[in-house]
Amino acid sequence: NAGVTQTPKFQVLKTGQSMTLQCAQDMNHNSMYWYRQDPGMGLRLIYYSASEGTTDKGEVPNGYNVSRLNKREFSLRLESAAPSQTSVYFCATRGATNEKLFFGSGTQLSVL
Amino acid sequence: SQKIEQNSEALNIQEGKTATLTCNYTNYSPAYLQWYRQDPGRGPVFLLLIRENEKEKRKERLKVTFDTTLKQSLFHITASQPADSATYLCALAPYKLIFGAGTRLAVHP
């Protein structure tokens, strides 16, 4: 039982390049989230998906797009990476509104 | 705007003592509050949830209080151990969880 799996674990991009961060969960949860974590800033919500087929913006959505491919998978895409997007990205899932989040191990992204 | 504040400075304590971490919030009335632990290079892991109508919640050596009048939660670790060293995050909101920046705890032998 893997829980929440994120790929890749590390990535270095040049400014302007694009990439997709992948997230898959085997917990049969409806809700999935993408956060970024920067030093001193805490976790900030980028996008979330309440259920398959729906997505909504979080606190810092600019420069990102998401796809809820099916119940298991929720991907985050950077169309034109910028140095300001250098961060650690976490995917998380939750079964119900008042329950805890389960996090993946994160993707460390550097944009040069 | 909604704001969550946790002590940005690291908390250093001696093994065996009680660690107390603070989470203050403004411009929000959360239905519940959660605490997470995060180790370096890892994702946060859930520890405790406390609802607005609960004053206190305990789990083994952990205790959380929630004062909706003061808009504050306190997180206590009793009989602390070096293995408790980590960053602790508080989070608010019934749906779109809003996280504080976290407080790093270092427990020294």
Side-chain angles (χ1 to χ4, degrees), chain A residues 50-106:
Chain A
S51 61
E52 183 180 351
T54 67
T55 61
D56 281 294
K57 296 178 180 179
E59 182 184 358
V60 288
N62 291 343
Y64 305 95
N65 285 301
V66 289
S67 295
R68 183 72 183 267
L69 304 171
N70 47 55
K71 190 171 186 178
R72 289 188 65 249
E73 298 172 291
F74 189 38
S75 62
L76 178 71
R77 182 159 179 85
L78 287 70
E79 291 291 352
S80 179
S84 62
Q85 294 178 304
T86 294
S87 187
V88 180
Y89 292 84
F90 288 101
C91 176
T93 71
R94 180 158 61 167
T97 301
N98 63 346
E99 292 184 0
K100 58 189 175 185
L101 286 174
F102 291 87
F103 285 86
S105 57

Side-chain angles (χ1 to χ4, degrees), chain B residues 41-109:
Chain B
R42 310 290 293 271
V45 175
F46 172 81
L47 295 174
L48 281 168
L49 178 152
I50 185 166
R51 303 182 193 284
E52 60 179 341
N53 61 349
E54 297 175 317
K55 296 293 186 184
E56 183 179 296
K57 199 82 168 278
R58 292 176 183 263
K59 179 182 177 183
E60 298 173 351
R61 294 185 296 111
L62 308 180
K63 184 179 84 171
V64 172
T65 63
F66 193 10
D67 189 324
T68 55
T69 301
L70 292 178
K71 295 187 181 297
Q72 181 182 79
S73 175
L74 299 178
F75 178 81
H76 307 273
I77 305 175
T78 58
S80 59
Q81 304 165 1
D84 295 325
S85 298
T87 296
Y88 292 85
L89 309 169
C90 67
L92 304 176
Y95 192 76
K96 291 190 288 184
L97 280 176
I98 302 171
F99 282 83
T103 299
R104 187 165 60 87
L105 172 67
V107 181
H108 303 283

